[in-house]
Amino acid sequence: MKLLKIERDAFLAPLAAVSGIVEKRHTLPILSNVLLDCRKDEVLLTATDLEIQISTTCHAAGANADDSRVTVAARKLQDILRALPEEAKATLEIQGNRMLVKTASSRFSLQTLPAADFPVMADGGSRLTRVNLPQGQLRELFHLVHYAMAQQDIRYYLNGLLLVVEGSELRVVATDGHRLSYAAGAISSQEEKREVILPRKAVQELVKLLADSDEEIAIDLFPSQVRFVFGKIELVTKVIDGKFPDYGRVIPVNYRNQIALSRAGLQQALQRAAILSNDKVRGVRWLLTTNILKISCSNNEQEEAQEELEVQYAGDPLDIGFNVNYLLDVLANVSSETVNCSFGEATSSMLVTVPDKPDFKYVVMPMRI
């Protein structure tokens, strides 16, 4: 039975959009598959890992007039389409429990699984609120904080990103217990306070899928789900049930000691010094004196790297250590030419801000070197 005939590129883009959440190895084989729901002139593609579900559509003039649904290995189908010539047209046919992918000179046979067994995510219930904002704005907010999320922390609520809607503001916060990143942006509506913790994987997919454009995205909050609708894509994710730390108490205020640094200059100095850092600890020492910042790293082989930067500083001398990766992360994810670093005592955290984004704050805890 002919399923559809479509140009390679027209099908590859939506397939790539949904297959990012598909695990290569899974205890449930059908979770490695993409659901193809073929209707007249349109194909609905859906993938899920039981926590996140992504759906999108593509136009297919050759789709079967009779509605047909089937699941097939997402990554294998994607790899086949990628390997075809750019201008190729592919025909998808169903023969028993097999899908045939055919072009003028190629033929592939893939195993299918019944569409009835595909675990479509349950409805989220009554919607609590909807927020609309430009895709580019949400993408930038996520980009400013996502790298501070924890990875496989036993405090499961840290393995995600806090999203807060309150009044006319949308806030996003991430922390792994050693550093915290905060960003906020304006929205056009006035909302009651709602907050949810988005899973790490959902945030990473959104960072990849969101366009840097003014095209609108709708965020629907449900009691246990969040739905993002933008372009032809719909991403639904479960939320993490837990109490996120009080980020307001972590962000320091009224620090007296401050320096302004070239973002690129500081980044390059840290990258050079980090070559000789301890592979496990990754510590970098900052020695701040009048108008001079000395950066140094050393390792177990007694090797040492030193960098010296001229700064405008007349405060108290300061000797403080950090994880160099935490500093490089923030410098790689902000675009400002200048970064401001504010300090308290040698045992206090450092606050990193940028001049053109007053609603962005990055806090990194010190470490013993």
Side-chain angles (χ1 to χ4, degrees):
M1 177 184 72
K2 178 182 174 183
L3 200 62
L4 61 100
K5 186 173 183 178
I6 196 166
E7 292 183 4
R8 165 194 177 269
D9 289 349
F11 195 53
L12 186 56
L15 180 60
V18 302
S19 61
I21 62 168
V22 173
E23 302 289 349
K24 290 184 178 179
R25 296 175 183 172
H26 213 291
T27 51
L28 288 176
I30 201 164
L31 294 180
S32 297
N33 285 13
V34 59
L35 173 64
L36 303 180
D37 190 350
C38 300
R39 305 161 186 173
K40 188 175 181 181
D41 294 337
E42 189 177 72
V43 182
L44 174 65
L45 300 88
T46 304
T48 185
D49 67 356
L50 298 181
E51 301 294 321
I52 309 167
Q53 178 175 293
I54 304 180
S55 301
T56 190
T57 60
C58 71
H59 180 73
N64 192 348
D66 299 322
D67 292 353
S68 303
R69 302 172 77 241
V70 68
T71 80
V72 66
R75 295 290 174 84
K76 289 179 182 177
L77 181 57
Q78 187 178 1
D79 288 345
I80 288 169
L81 292 173
R82 278 179 175 162
L84 294 175
E86 290 185 7
E87 303 300 324
K89 292 185 178 181
T91 300
L92 276 58
E93 297 180 1
I94 300 299
Q95 290 187 0
N97 64 345
R98 297 278 166 177
M99 173 184 284
L100 300 182
V101 182
K102 299 193 294 186
T103 67
S105 57
S106 304
R107 183 179 183 275
F108 305 87
S109 176
L110 295 172
Q111 185 183 42
T112 63
L113 292 172
D117 296 338
F118 191 82
V120 176
M121 192 175 287
D123 186 86
S126 300
R127 186 174 70 193
L128 300 176
T129 190
R130 164 172 279 199
V131 176
N132 296 283
L133 70 160
Q135 279 190 54
Q137 182 184 358
L138 185 63
R139 181 178 183 271
E140 182 184 35
L141 289 174
F142 281 165
H143 198 76
L144 287 170
V145 305
H146 74 100
Y147 53 89
M149 293 184 291
Q151 300 185 48
Q152 298 179 332
D153 197 295
I154 57 172
R155 297 165 294 180
Y156 56 91
Y157 49 84
L158 298 184
N159 301 318
L161 178 147
L162 178 69
L163 185 147
V164 183
V165 177
E166 184 176 13
S168 58
E169 190 174 61
L170 177 71
R171 299 191 289 272
V172 290
V173 189
T175 181
D176 60 6
H178 304 287
R179 34 82 177 271
L180 179 144
S181 194
Y182 166 99
I187 54 177
S188 57
S189 55
Q190 285 286 334
E191 304 291 338
E192 291 183 30
K193 185 176 182 179
R194 308 277 185 188
E195 56 182 57
V196 294
I197 305 175
L198 304 175
R200 174 185 178 86
K201 189 174 178 180
V203 175
Q204 291 176 322
E205 284 303 309
L206 285 164
V207 169
K208 289 191 293 185
L209 294 172
L210 289 169
D212 187 13
S213 72
D214 291 331
E215 188 177 349
E216 196 169 79
I217 179 171
I219 307 173
D220 295 327
L221 303 183
F222 298 90
S224 61
Q225 291 180 2
V226 181
R227 180 173 62 203
F228 299 86
V229 182
F230 52 101
K232 294 185 177 181
I233 296 174
E234 177 181 288
L235 186 149
V236 181
T237 177
K238 294 181 179 179
V239 299
I240 297 175
D241 186 18
K243 179 64 176 175
F244 202 82
D246 184 358
Y247 57 89
R249 295 176 60 184
V250 176
I251 300 173
V253 293
N254 301 324
Y255 271 176
R256 292 184 297 106
N257 300 319
Q258 185 180 100
I259 54 173
L261 293 159
S262 160
R263 183 190 65 84
L266 177 60
Q267 185 179 37
Q268 291 162 10
L270 289 171
Q271 288 170 338
R272 289 191 295 266
I275 295 170
L276 296 184
S277 67
N278 185 302
D279 289 338
K280 290 184 178 179
V281 179
R282 299 289 286 170
V284 60
R285 183 180 177 188
W286 285 29
L287 184 60
L288 190 57
T289 56
T290 303
N291 296 336
I292 294 291
L293 171 63
K294 292 182 180 179
I295 296 171
S296 63
C297 287
S298 59
N299 57 32
N300 294 337
E301 287 76 39
Q302 310 301 316
E303 297 169 329
E304 186 177 10
Q306 285 193 353
E307 294 281 336
E308 192 171 296
L309 300 175
E310 293 185 4
V311 296
Q312 289 187 345
Y313 182 72
D316 300 329
L318 191 66
D319 188 348
I320 189 169
F322 301 104
N323 182 314
V324 70
N325 289 343
Y326 295 165
L327 303 181
L328 290 172
D329 280 345
V330 65
L331 296 174
N333 285 279
V334 297
S335 56
S336 175
E337 292 185 3
T338 304
V339 294
N340 297 322
C341 300
S342 304
F343 308 90
E345 306 295 329
T347 55
S348 303
S349 60
M350 176 172 71
L351 174 65
V352 179
T353 57
V354 292
D356 57 341
K357 292 183 175 62
D359 291 322
F360 167 73
K361 297 175 176 64
Y362 183 72
V363 182
V364 56
M365 298 300 295
M367 65 181 293
R368 288 185 179 180
I369 303 296

